[in-house]
Structures are given as structure tokens and as C-alpha cells.
Amino acid sequence: MNQLTKSPVINAGATRRGALGLIGAGIALMATGAARAEDDNVLTEEQVLRDPDIPVIGNPKGDITIVEWSDYNCPYCRKLEPELRQVVQDDGKVRLVMKDWPILGPVSVTAARTALAAKFQNKFDVAHEAMISVNSRITEPRIAELLSGAGLDMDRLKKDHDANAKAIDAILSRNNEQAEAFGFSGTPSFIVGKYRVPGVLSMAEFEQVIADARKAKMGRKTEQN
């Protein structure tokens, strides 16, 4: 993906409203159509930004949240990963919410399920890093090799996966419903603050979107006061 459009779409009380188009920092903030979710709660702020079952890295108390929908077999996700992590680290006040969206085949689904199972041994980030850092498409045998090499307890991983299979599939279902409701067409796709950003950004563009999101947040606080 290479789109650089972003749209303000998250609303804590509404899910199907069109968003006003804005222009800022040289990147068009284009309006989105109505959300295509069956559940009217699928795009609430709590579900999108603060789903308690979704792994979070960066600063858990950060003032701006980035939500990423990604697939372990997406080459753009792999390429973007180190730059996004660097932006989050350099900023120091960003929550990065990792939403697995396995849309590139059965192996992607296996990888996403396995990564989510790893969180039960507090190693989601380790599993994520191991699988997203490879330079080519992963296979199921390669997943096991990567995670074992990264130090995960593979016996526990299988037990946690099997014991929590329904919960893991429910997470992936929510992630998919949200991505479709936002109109995302591929990975990676993002929400930054309350802006929809479908596509790959450079480090500088991420920094600018974060700055725009902070400015918009401050503007809303000023209006409320």
C-alpha cells in the first residue's frame, strides 16, 4: 500500500458518520464513507484504541495512540516495522496497539494466532519481533523455528493456544470487523489518535501525523473548556 490519506473517523458515540475532510501538514485528510460494520459498537473509541485483549507496546500511558493492523507475511509491514518502532521510542509518549489482521492466507492466520498465544507467557512482543523481522514469507515450520529460537516455551505456547483458541479467534474477528468498517484495503493500516491512515508512511510522515493528532487533541480540549 502507498496511500497517504488520513481521516478523522473515531467517535466514542457513533460508528457510521462520515468525517469532515481536512487538510494539514501537506497530507490530505480525506472523508471516509459510512462504516461497514454490523455491530454498531465496533468503532467505539474503547474498542479501537483500548481493547484490553490487544497487546500494547511503547508507553502504555502515552497521550497519543497508534493502532496498527498488520500481517506477518506483508512485506510492507516488515519494511515499516523498524522505522515505526524507532518513532515510538524517540517520541516516548506513544501507545502502539498491535492488531493482527491476517489477510494473506492460512499461514498468516497461524502466525497471528501463535503471536496472540505468546502473550500468555508475556512474550507477544518477542514473538512479533521474531516473525516480522524475516526477509521473506514465513511458513508454519519457519514459525516454530523462529519462536523456538527467540526463547519461547513451545510446549506452553501450544497449550495456551489450544486453551484460548476461542478468545484468540474472537480478537482476530474484532480486528477484521474494525479494519473492514474503516474501509482499509490492505496492510499495514493505521489509526493515529483519531485519524485514519491507510498505508505506509516514512518516519518523518509518522512524526508529522503524531504532531497533527496532538494538535487536534489539544484543540478539542480547548473547545471543551
Side-chain angles (χ1 to χ4, degrees), residues 15-154:
T15 62
R16 300 172 185 272
R17 299 177 186 173
L20 294 176
L22 303 175
I23 299 294
I27 301 176
L29 312 188
M30 298 176 65
T32 60
R36 298 190 303 271
E38 294 297 324
D39 183 351
D40 281 345
N41 293 320
V42 72
L43 294 187
T44 65
E45 184 168 340
E46 285 300 307
Q47 283 294 318
V48 175
L49 304 184
R50 302 188 182 278
D51 186 330
D53 295 324
I54 303 295
V56 175
I57 62 176
N59 184 343
K61 297 182 179 179
D63 63 337
I64 292 296
T65 297
I66 295 178
V67 186
E68 178 185 14
W69 282 261
S70 64
D71 185 306
Y72 288 106
N73 266 326
C74 166
Y76 301 105
C77 300
R78 291 196 295 265
K79 181 178 180 180
L80 178 68
E81 179 73 10
E83 294 188 355
L84 177 58
R85 292 293 188 106
Q86 190 64 53
V87 169
V88 171
Q89 180 179 322
D90 290 348
D91 184 280
K93 294 185 292 182
V94 172
R95 298 173 65 248
L96 178 57
V97 178
M98 312 294 291
K99 298 211 178 198
D100 288 290
W101 189 26
I103 56 175
L104 298 177
V107 174
S108 294
V109 175
T110 298
R113 286 175 173 159
T114 304
L116 289 169
K119 73 177 184 174
F120 293 100
Q121 54 180 288
N122 295 318
K123 289 193 174 180
F124 170 85
D125 200 19
V126 174
H128 176 84
E129 185 66 21
M131 291 190 287
I132 204 71
S133 298
V134 298
N135 294 321
S136 59
R137 290 184 66 88
I138 56 177
T139 61
E140 291 196 15
R142 182 66 171 144
I143 291 171
E145 178 185 339
L146 289 167
L147 300 190
S148 177
L152 275 78
D153 181 333
M154 300 303 289

